[in-house]
Amino acid sequence: MGFIQSKSDNSLFILHHQEHTAYLLLYVDDILLVTSSDTLRQHLMASLASEFAMKDLGPLSYFLGIFVTRHNNSMFLSQQAYAHDIINRAGMRSCKPVDTPVDTQPKLSSTSGTAFEDPSLYRSLAGALQYTTFTRPDLSYAVQQICMHMHAPLNSHWQALKRIIRYLQGTASYGLTLESSPSVALTAFTDADWAGCPDTR
């Protein structure tokens, strides 16, 4: 149909035809199709339906555990239900929330402390938390830190993981707002602490 696979995401396919553009995101049997015109969308849907059994679910509201809410010219992406599922899986439904996802003082180490008794639980929850970073960039650093120790988690790593879940408890309704902008500039902020890691310094 003229789509070209994206080099940055194997599940994303892009079509450029004259002044029209379409993006098709494919995950197993779920498809998200975004087009620059209704005519192109209808044409692509008809072409796909002629090859595959399909059902048009209409405007995007839910995709791979992410809820989408539209507000005028913006979309709010939320994984609130998924966050509550992680909290329940961890057995922390009644935990008290904290204001930050990571303790700013101690640094996690791969050698200090005793081994955590249930590495499978740790890996399962750490993996689940990785998926939340799609709509929660505020969790990215904290989740990256606990994922570095999935091969041999210690009790200190488990405490760090539980802190992220306590942060989720108070911020489960947070998400990501997408809206058009006249600027294409990307702004990033960082606070590099090159010698701060006790393992790699």
Side-chain angles (χ1 to χ4, degrees):
M1 294 172 62
F3 281 91
I4 297 172
Q5 190 173 30
S6 167
K7 292 179 180 171
S8 59
D9 184 344
N10 291 332
S11 301
L12 178 64
F13 298 85
I14 304 166
L15 171 70
H16 293 292
H17 180 68
Q18 297 172 355
E19 73 278 3
H20 297 294
T21 305
Y23 298 93
L24 188 144
L25 187 64
L26 177 65
Y27 184 79
V28 187
D29 60 354
D30 291 322
I31 296 174
L32 178 62
L33 178 64
V34 179
T35 61
S36 58
S37 72
D38 282 338
T39 305
L40 178 59
R41 181 183 57 79
Q42 291 167 2
H43 168 72
L44 293 173
M45 291 290 291
S47 296
L48 289 168
S50 70
E51 295 287 331
F52 308 101
M54 289 181 43
K55 183 176 180 183
D56 184 355
L57 300 178
L60 179 64
S61 60
Y62 181 81
F63 187 70
L64 303 180
I66 300 173
F67 286 93
V68 180
T69 309
R70 296 174 185 275
H71 301 283
N72 298 323
N73 291 323
S74 69
M75 291 188 299
F76 179 70
L77 310 182
S78 169
Q79 291 173 286
Q80 184 170 359
Y82 184 69
H84 285 301
D85 179 57
I86 293 172
I87 293 165
N88 291 336
R89 281 171 52 192
M92 297 176 64
R93 194 175 318 159
S94 60
C95 71
K96 291 183 180 178
V98 292
D99 293 333
T100 60
V102 67
D103 189 343
T104 58
Q105 296 304 316
K107 301 285 186 182
L108 291 179
S109 168
S110 60
T111 56
S112 61
T114 55
F116 179 58
E117 62 187 24
D118 191 350
S120 294
L121 174 64
Y122 183 94
R123 292 182 189 108
S124 171
L125 291 172
L129 286 169
Q130 277 186 307
Y131 188 65
T132 63
T133 62
F134 288 163
T135 62
R136 297 292 303 273
D138 56 324
L139 297 175
S140 294
Y141 172 76
V143 171
Q144 179 264 344
Q145 288 295 298
I146 61 162
C147 286
M148 287 175 52
H149 305 285
M150 288 175 77
H151 61 288
L154 304 176
N155 283 315
S156 58
H157 307 142
W158 173 245
Q159 293 305 316
L161 188 149
K162 287 192 347 184
R163 184 181 179 99
I164 298 170
I165 293 174
R166 290 178 61 205
Y167 177 72
L168 264 185
Q169 177 79 306
T171 63
S173 63
Y174 285 16
L176 193 62
T177 298
L178 301 178
E179 59 189 349
S180 61
S181 171
S183 171
V184 294
L186 179 64
T187 305
F189 301 90
T190 182
D191 180 14
D193 181 8
W194 301 113
C197 177
D199 295 326
T200 62
R201 291 209 189 273

